[in-house]
């Protein structure tokens, strides 16, 4: 170093005397204070040193010397640098332990440098009882006695007064010395290279790889990836100070233009301490429609400061990614994520999602457990697959088939037992049972392997297909080299593009009719309910039922279990449990629970049990063309014929279910057979009589509409007058007739109400469709006007 020439005057000289002890003050440095973090490395200075960091290194053959008593140095810093250099050569780390100051002027006159493992950790209850230690540090101090003490002479030089050479622990080999704290320092050339690569959008790991290649090995770099990461973070924070005002100005402007625009800062406007969150009115409205499942993605690196841009996204009724809000994260601590999730939840009116998908990150998981305790948390499977290529690169090079086998094990196993067996077989075959990263993701398997997640809703059409919402909303607009100055222009352009795609999908749904592939009333019903993309997906499942067969395997009295499989593939059967009375079906594949669409296995059971239309419980509003409508259409069928088919199907299936049980019991013996036949003959007679009565009731209702005398009778009866027209008391038989007439009229009135209600809902639906068409036209006009400008 040109400006820091260090001279070591080595000689016996006069020994250190203790004559000035009466004028000295002992200062003990608390050896249990938290160690300085790697990104705050400092060197010790005396009162004459400048504020700049100065590193003292011995020159020439002096680096091979061993300290000894009487050894002289030009300064305290020179003594410290020499001992640290000696420690690097031997294999241990150093630190300053204690010092003594002169009573006359307060100047330091004695220093003691020790091995970093000197002493023991002070487990002082007073310091820990009032605070919870979430991540206790590893105990590193083992009472090592190795040390070097120096004292200042009257001449101004420093002399070694004592030297303890021995250690009570193993020393670090040369190829690992760079990991010791006192030897980890980022040189000027290394800082320059880090700055250049960081500006190009590279992360700490890739930068360290470049440095290792440049210097010829990790031991020659002189610091670790943690040091590089901390240096980059400090750079980022310093560089962001100038652009924070730009960010705040943008958010304030957006809120002034629309009071429903939400933004929040961690800290306050004058003291920005962490993260920023915002959500425009459209994002908040989208969440009210489609906020059942959310993706929080921190993999974006949006600008040259490597600041994580983290969007909250979901899936709309066309299966397209939709935005719920955005965040910039300055630090990725647990407290920062807790603040972010709580603030975002406030912006979304406090409504928790059913599920949330994030990166595989332990800190994010801890924050979600605090803020979303009832929400199903999933790690993004595709990010884990991508990480696999990095963590297991040596395996992939040696065994090219490993990756495809890994994917099959995760994606294609249908049962938990099948996955467990496949996983153990895979890691044993490739001798990876002890691989640390694989052990980590295996311990977290319940949060990313599909077979464990099928019972939760994630709005994905296929368990093995990648969700469009993950890491794709801003693809093509924002990348690692985008700076904050240009970010918001690209952000607005991405939102505009997504809105246009949604308008186009709305237009296609409202103005084009899909091609029906079957004569099924269910397919026609679905074509008028679902959006175009969702109908096509449903149609695939419906047509797929033609290759499946369903056979009854169990009947517990309430539900029937069917075995559903392709012809000749009974070993790949799915099990569908169907409750006829409640019109409720569940399948072992759990597709409806996961995606909100019925699978071909349930639809096959519906086909063989004569269920002609979709029960209303299986039509999720979020997948329909009316997903953004406030009119509730799914509680009852909107079409009278559809309602008739559904109720008729329930009656038909219920009677058939009971008849099957009756036949089984009645055919067990001749006696039960004779009894059953007699009951059937009686039931046949009574059903025929009921059919005749129903026809007469219809005639009576027709006459009653214009019969004023009957109206008078009903008026007298309902007012409590039990007399006939002539004033004579009504007989019991006449009274029963009149009660039946009233019942018939009430049933007729109920039928009329149902028709009126259906017509009213139909009108409301037409109004909603008309509003949506007008909205589409307005958006189209805006787009065309913008294009012409």
């Amino acid at each position: 170093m040109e400006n820091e020439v260090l001279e070591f005057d080595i000689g016996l000289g006069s020994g250190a005397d203790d004559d000035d002890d009466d004028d000295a003050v002992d200062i003990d440095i608390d050896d249990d204070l938290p160690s300085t973090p790697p990104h705050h490395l400092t060197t010790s200075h005396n009162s004459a040193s400048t504020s700049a960091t100065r590193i003292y290194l011995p020159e020439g053959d002096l680096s091979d010397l061993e300290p000894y008593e009487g050894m002289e140095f030009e300064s305290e810093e020179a003594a410290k640098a020499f001992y640290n250099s000696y420690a690097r050569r031997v294999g241990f780390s150093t630190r300053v332990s204690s010092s003594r100051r002169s009573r006359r002027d307060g100047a330091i006159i004695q220093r003691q440098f020790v091995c970093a493992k000197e002493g023991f950790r002070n487990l002082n209850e007073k310091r820990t009882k009032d605070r919870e230690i979430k991540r206790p540090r590893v105990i590193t101090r083992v009472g090592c006695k190795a040390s070097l003490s120096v004292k200042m002479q009257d001449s101004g030089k420093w002399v070694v007064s004592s030297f303890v050479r021995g250690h009570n622990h193993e020393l670090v080999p040369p190829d690992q010395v760079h990991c010791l704290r006192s030897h980890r320092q980022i040189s000027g050339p290394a800082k320059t290279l880090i700055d250049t690569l960081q500006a190009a959008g590279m992360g700490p790991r890739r930068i360290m790889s470049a440095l290792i290649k440049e210097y010829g090995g990790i031991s020659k770099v002189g610091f670790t990836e943690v040091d590089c990461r901390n240096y980059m973070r400090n750079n980022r924070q310093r560089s962001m100070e100038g652009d924070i005002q730009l960010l705040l100005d943008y958010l304030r402007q957006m809120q002034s233009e629309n009071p429903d625009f939400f933004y929040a800062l961690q800290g306050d406007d004058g003291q920005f301490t962490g993260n920023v969150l915002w959500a425009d009115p459209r994002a908040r409205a989208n969440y009210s429609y489609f906020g059942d499942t959310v993706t929080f993605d921190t993999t974006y690196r949006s600008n040259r400061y490597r600041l994580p841009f983290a969007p909250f996204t979901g899936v709309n009724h066309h299966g397209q990614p939709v935005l719920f809000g955005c965040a910039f994260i300055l630090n990725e601590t647990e407290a920062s994520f807790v603040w972010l999730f709580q603030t975002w939840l406030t912006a979304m009116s406090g409504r928790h999602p059913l599920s949330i998908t994030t990166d595989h990150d332990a800190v994010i998981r801890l924050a979600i457990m605090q803020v979303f305790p009832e929400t199903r948390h999933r790690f993004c499977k595709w990010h884990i697959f991508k990480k696999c290529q990095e963590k297991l690169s040596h395996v992939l090079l040696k065994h090219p088939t490993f990756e495809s086998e890994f994917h099959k094990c995760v994606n294609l196993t249908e049962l938990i037992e099948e996955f467990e067996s496949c996983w153990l077989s895979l890691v044993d075959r490739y001798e990876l049972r002890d691989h640390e990263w694989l052990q980590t993701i295996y311990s977290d398997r319940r949060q990313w392997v599909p077979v464990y997640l099928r019972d939760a809703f994630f709005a994905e059409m296929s368990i093995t297909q990648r969700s469009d919402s993950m890491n794709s909303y801003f693809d093509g607009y924002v990348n690692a080299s985008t700076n904050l100055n240009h970010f918001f222009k690209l952000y607005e352009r991405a939102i505009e593009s997504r809105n246009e795609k949604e308008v186009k999908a709305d237009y296609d749904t409202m103005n084009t009719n899909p091609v029906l592939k079957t004569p099924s009333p269910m397919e026609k019903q679905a074509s008028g309910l679902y959006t175009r993309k969702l109908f096509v997906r449903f149609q695939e499942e419906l047509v797929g039922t033609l290759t499946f067969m369903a056979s009854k395997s169990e009947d517990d009295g309430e539900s029937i279990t069917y075995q559903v499989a392709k012809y000749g593939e009974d070993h790949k059967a799915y099990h569908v449990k169907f409750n006829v009375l409640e019109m409720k079906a569940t399948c072992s594949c759990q597709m409806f629970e996961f995606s909100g669409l019925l699978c071909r296995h349930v639809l096959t059971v519906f086909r063989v049990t004569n269920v002609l239309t979709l029960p209303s419980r299986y039509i999720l509003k979020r997948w329909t063309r009316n997903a953004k409508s406030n009119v509730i259409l799914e509680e009852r069928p909107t079409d009278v014929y559809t309602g008739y088919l559904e109720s008729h199907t329930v009656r038909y299936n219920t009677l058939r279910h009971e008849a099957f049980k009756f036949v089984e019991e009645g055919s067990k013996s001749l006696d039960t057979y004779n009894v059953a036949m007699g009951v059937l003959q009686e039931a046949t007679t009574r059903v025929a009589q009921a059919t005749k009565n129903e026809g007469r009731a219809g005639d009576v209702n027709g006459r009653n509409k214009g019969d004023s005398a009957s109206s008078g009778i009903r008026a007298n009866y309902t007012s409590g007058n039990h007399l006939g027209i002539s004033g004579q008391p009504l007989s019991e038989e006449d009274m029963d007739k009149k009660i039946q007439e009233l019942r018939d009229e009430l049933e007729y009135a109920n039928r009329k109400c149902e028709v009126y209600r259906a017509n009213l809902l139909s009108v409301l639906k037409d109004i909603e469709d008309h509003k949506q068409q007008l909205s589409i036209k307005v958006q189209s006009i805006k787009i065309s006007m913008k294009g012409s400008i």
Side-chain angles (χ1 to χ4, degrees):
M1 300 174 63
E2 296 179 2
N3 298 327
E4 299 292 338
V5 178
L6 176 65
E7 295 181 4
F8 288 90
D9 294 337
I10 308 296
L12 296 177
S14 59
D17 56 57
D18 297 326
D19 294 341
D20 58 351
D21 281 354
D22 292 337
D23 296 323
V25 178
D26 290 335
I27 301 175
D28 292 326
I29 297 179
D30 185 357
D31 59 69
D32 191 49
L33 287 174
S35 301
T36 306
H39 54 287
H40 287 154
L41 288 174
T42 61
T43 55
S44 177
H45 305 289
N46 61 18
S47 57
S49 63
T50 62
S51 59
T53 299
R54 305 161 76 180
I55 301 173
Y56 297 85
L57 296 174
E59 298 179 352
D61 296 335
L62 299 179
S63 59
D64 296 329
L65 289 175
E66 183 174 285
Y68 56 88
E69 291 186 16
M71 194 175 194
E72 286 190 355
F73 299 92
E74 284 295 313
S75 65
E76 174 201 340
E77 288 83 1
K80 178 183 176 183
F82 174 78
Y83 189 58
N84 199 50
S85 177
Y86 162 76
R88 182 183 181 92
R89 185 158 34 89
V90 174
F92 66 97
S93 182
T94 66
R95 60 183 173 83
V96 178
S97 174
S98 62
S99 63
R100 300 181 69 193
R101 293 183 180 272
S102 169
R103 292 183 182 274
R104 289 191 294 266
D105 57 9
I108 293 175
I109 59 174
Q110 185 174 340
R111 281 283 198 193
Q112 183 182 32
F113 309 111
V114 297
C115 172
K117 291 182 178 290
E118 180 267 347
F120 297 94
R121 178 173 298 179
N122 181 10
L123 300 177
N124 190 339
E125 292 185 1
K126 291 182 179 179
R127 301 179 58 191
T128 59
K129 68 178 182 179
D130 295 331
R131 60 187 178 91
E132 179 185 357
I133 301 176
K134 295 183 179 180
R135 298 181 186 178
R137 290 181 289 130
V138 176
I139 295 177
T140 58
R141 301 188 183 184
V142 295
C144 182
K145 299 296 184 181
S147 65
L148 178 76
S149 296
V150 293
K151 295 184 69 175
M152 189 175 70
Q153 304 299 298
D154 292 339
S155 63
K157 293 185 179 182
W158 290 71
V159 65
V160 176
S161 60
S162 70
F163 169 59
V164 179
R165 183 176 185 276
H167 297 263
N168 68 345
H169 55 87
E170 292 185 3
L171 299 175
V172 175
D175 62 340
Q176 297 177 16
V177 170
H178 68 280
C179 296
L180 296 174
R181 177 160 295 178
S182 68
H183 308 307
R184 285 156 48 181
Q185 297 173 352
I186 303 178
S187 65
K191 290 180 179 179
T192 302
L193 183 56
I194 292 173
D195 294 343
T196 302
L197 297 179
Q198 183 179 11
M202 289 178 62
R205 186 167 292 126
R206 292 177 62 193
I207 290 178
M208 279 302 295
S209 298
L211 288 167
I212 292 170
K213 186 176 180 180
E214 177 73 18
Y215 285 89
I218 182 64
S219 61
K220 295 181 180 179
V221 173
F223 53 89
T224 65
E225 184 180 324
V226 174
D227 301 320
C228 178
R229 187 182 301 275
N230 290 326
Y231 173 77
M232 292 174 64
R233 185 180 66 184
N234 292 338
N235 265 357
R236 189 162 62 236
Q237 290 175 338
R238 286 192 298 269
S239 301
M240 276 298 296
E241 290 176 0
D243 282 344
I244 288 297
Q245 192 59 45
L246 178 68
L247 171 65
L248 297 180
D249 290 344
Y250 175 84
L251 298 177
R252 288 174 184 140
Q253 178 186 348
M254 296 301 294
Q255 192 176 62
S256 66
E257 293 175 359
N258 191 328
D260 290 332
F261 184 94
F262 178 95
Y263 82 93
L265 307 174
Q266 193 172 4
D268 53 53
D269 289 5
Q271 187 65 36
F272 183 70
T273 60
N275 302 332
V276 58
L277 170 78
W278 73 93
D280 61 30
R282 188 183 184 94
R284 300 174 74 181
N286 283 335
Y287 184 78
S288 68
Y289 304 131
F290 311 113
D292 40 19
T293 184
V294 175
T295 294
F296 177 65
D297 186 7
T298 56
T299 59
Y300 279 106
R301 291 298 184 264
S302 65
N303 55 51
R304 59 192 172 94
Y305 311 118
R306 301 281 300 170
L307 181 70
F309 164 57
F312 291 86
T313 60
V315 182
N316 69 7
H317 51 325
H318 300 293
Q320 300 169 332
V322 61
L323 193 64
F324 297 149
C326 296
F328 275 144
I329 306 173
L330 274 178
N331 55 74
E332 300 184 20
T333 63
E334 181 183 341
S336 292
F337 283 121
V338 167
W339 174 89
L340 181 66
F341 293 146
Q342 288 176 340
T343 307
W344 176 79
L345 197 58
T346 300
M348 300 299 126
S349 302
R351 174 188 165 194
H352 290 241
L354 298 176
S355 62
I356 186 168
T357 303
T358 71
D359 302 341
H360 184 219
D361 187 284
V363 177
I364 293 178
R365 172 165 56 186
L366 291 174
I368 286 179
M369 289 171 63
Q370 292 185 52
V371 184
F372 303 109
E374 302 300 323
T375 298
R376 192 69 172 272
H377 181 204
R378 176 180 69 165
F379 295 131
C380 178
K381 175 181 61 178
W382 302 103
H383 287 166
I384 291 178
F385 283 164
K386 188 176 180 181
K387 185 71 71 174
C388 174
Q389 297 174 350
E390 175 188 326
K391 297 291 186 179
L392 300 174
S393 57
H394 62 290
V395 180
L396 299 179
L397 287 173
K398 188 177 180 180
H399 305 286
T401 60
F402 172 81
E403 187 172 16
S404 62
E405 291 184 49
F406 181 71
H407 281 237
K408 288 178 182 177
C409 176
V410 172
N411 286 328
L412 301 184
T413 47
E414 302 261 345
L415 302 172
I416 291 176
E417 297 78 10
E418 183 184 357
F419 165 77
E420 296 286 351
S421 174
C422 182
W423 180 276
L424 293 177
S425 174
L426 186 69
V427 296
D428 284 343
R429 186 162 60 253
Y430 291 98
E431 299 179 350
L432 295 171
R433 187 181 280 262
D434 296 327
H435 191 279
E436 184 179 355
W437 181 77
L438 280 178
Q439 286 181 336
T440 300
I441 63 171
Y442 177 73
S443 65
D444 293 335
R445 63 193 180 280
R446 297 180 183 279
Q447 288 185 267
W448 69 276
V449 177
V451 73
Y452 292 98
L453 297 164
R454 288 175 173 160
D455 60 334
F457 181 74
F458 286 97
E460 293 181 12
M461 295 300 100
S462 169
I463 288 177
T464 59
Q465 181 181 2
R466 179 172 181 175
S467 169
D468 268 348
S469 67
M470 185 52 122
N471 200 15
S472 65
Y473 190 93
F474 292 96
D475 279 2
Y477 295 93
V478 179
N479 55 51
S481 60
T482 305
N483 61 41
L484 190 59
N485 194 34
H486 296 105
F487 169 79
F488 284 107
K489 293 180 181 178
L490 299 173
Y491 159 83
E492 291 175 349
R493 194 176 300 170
I495 291 179
E496 185 178 347
S497 174
R498 290 294 180 185
N499 292 344
E500 289 178 7
K501 289 179 180 178
E502 182 177 337
V503 168
K504 177 66 166 58
D506 284 337
Y507 179 84
D508 291 341
T509 295
M510 301 298 293
N511 294 280
T512 60
N513 295 319
V515 177
L516 302 183
K517 298 182 179 180
T518 72
S520 167
M522 189 179 291
E523 183 183 19
K524 184 176 181 180
Q525 174 197 16
S527 69
L529 290 172
Y530 290 129
T531 59
R532 188 64 63 246
K533 182 175 180 178
L534 269 294
F535 170 72
V536 170
R537 184 68 186 86
F538 172 82
Q539 191 179 53
E540 290 175 5
E541 294 299 313
L542 186 65
V543 173
T545 64
L546 301 177
T547 62
F548 279 81
M549 301 178 64
S551 57
K552 186 168 70 170
S553 61
E554 185 181 344
D555 187 347
D556 61 9
E558 293 183 1
S559 301
I560 304 175
T561 301
Y562 292 86
Q563 183 172 301
V564 182
K566 289 185 177 181
Y567 180 76
E569 296 184 3
D570 291 344
H571 62 289
K572 294 182 180 179
Y574 297 87
H575 301 281
V576 177
K577 194 172 185 179
F578 183 37
N579 185 314
V580 180
L581 296 177
E582 297 180 7
M583 290 298 286
K584 183 179 181 180
T586 57
C587 180
S588 58
C589 80
Q590 295 182 300
M591 177 176 163
F592 180 78
E593 290 81 354
F594 188 79
S595 67
L597 280 180
L598 281 177
C599 62
R600 58 192 62 191
H601 318 119
V602 170
L603 294 175
T604 298
V605 171
F606 282 176
R607 174 169 55 82
V608 301
T609 55
N610 200 35
V611 177
L612 302 179
T613 61
L614 278 173
S616 58
R617 70 166 66 235
Y618 295 114
I619 304 171
L620 294 192
K621 185 179 179 181
R622 62 115 54 235
W623 289 135
T624 68
R625 57 179 65 194
N626 295 313
K628 293 186 175 183
S629 167
N630 293 324
V631 178
I632 300 175
L633 303 178
E634 69 270 26
E635 288 185 356
R636 295 187 183 179
T638 60
D639 182 78
V640 176
Y641 177 64
T642 299
Y644 165 76
L645 285 177
E646 190 168 313
S647 58
H648 177 269
T649 300
V650 173
R651 293 194 299 271
Y652 176 87
N653 281 295
T654 302
L655 283 173
R656 187 172 68 169
H657 179 64
E658 294 298 322
F660 278 143
K661 291 194 294 184
F662 183 78
V663 169
E664 288 177 1
E665 293 295 324
S667 61
K668 287 182 178 179
S669 67
L670 183 60
D671 290 340
T672 56
Y673 171 78
N674 291 331
V675 172
M677 287 300 296
V679 172
L680 278 177
Q681 289 172 0
E682 181 183 352
T684 302
T685 303
R686 294 182 65 179
V687 168
Q689 184 62 40
T691 303
K692 287 183 180 179
N693 292 339
E694 189 176 38
R696 290 173 181 172
D699 293 339
V700 170
N701 285 335
R703 291 193 302 269
N704 283 348
K705 281 191 289 185
D707 191 344
S708 58
S710 296
S711 297
I713 293 173
R714 287 191 295 273
N716 288 333
Y717 182 78
T718 55
S719 64
N721 184 5
H722 290 201
L723 301 177
I725 298 175
S726 60
Q728 298 296 324
L730 291 174
S731 67
E732 186 174 344
E733 183 178 355
D734 290 337
M735 202 173 234
D736 288 342
K737 286 183 180 180
K738 286 178 171 49
I739 291 174
Q740 184 60 44
E741 287 178 2
L742 288 172
R743 286 176 177 170
D744 292 340
E745 184 176 358
L746 180 61
E747 182 180 352
Y748 176 73
N750 285 336
R751 289 177 182 174
K752 287 182 67 176
C753 286
E754 283 297 315
V755 173
Y756 291 149
R757 181 181 181 279
N759 291 336
L760 178 59
L761 287 173
S762 177
V763 170
L764 289 174
K765 183 175 179 295
D766 289 341
I767 293 173
E768 287 293 327
D769 290 346
H770 185 62
K771 283 170 60 179
Q772 196 165 3
Q773 288 177 348
L774 288 176
S775 176
I776 293 171
K777 289 180 181 179
V778 170
Q779 291 293 335
S780 300
I781 293 172
K782 287 182 179 179
I783 294 170
S784 61
M785 291 178 64
K786 189 175 297 184
S788 62
I789 294 174

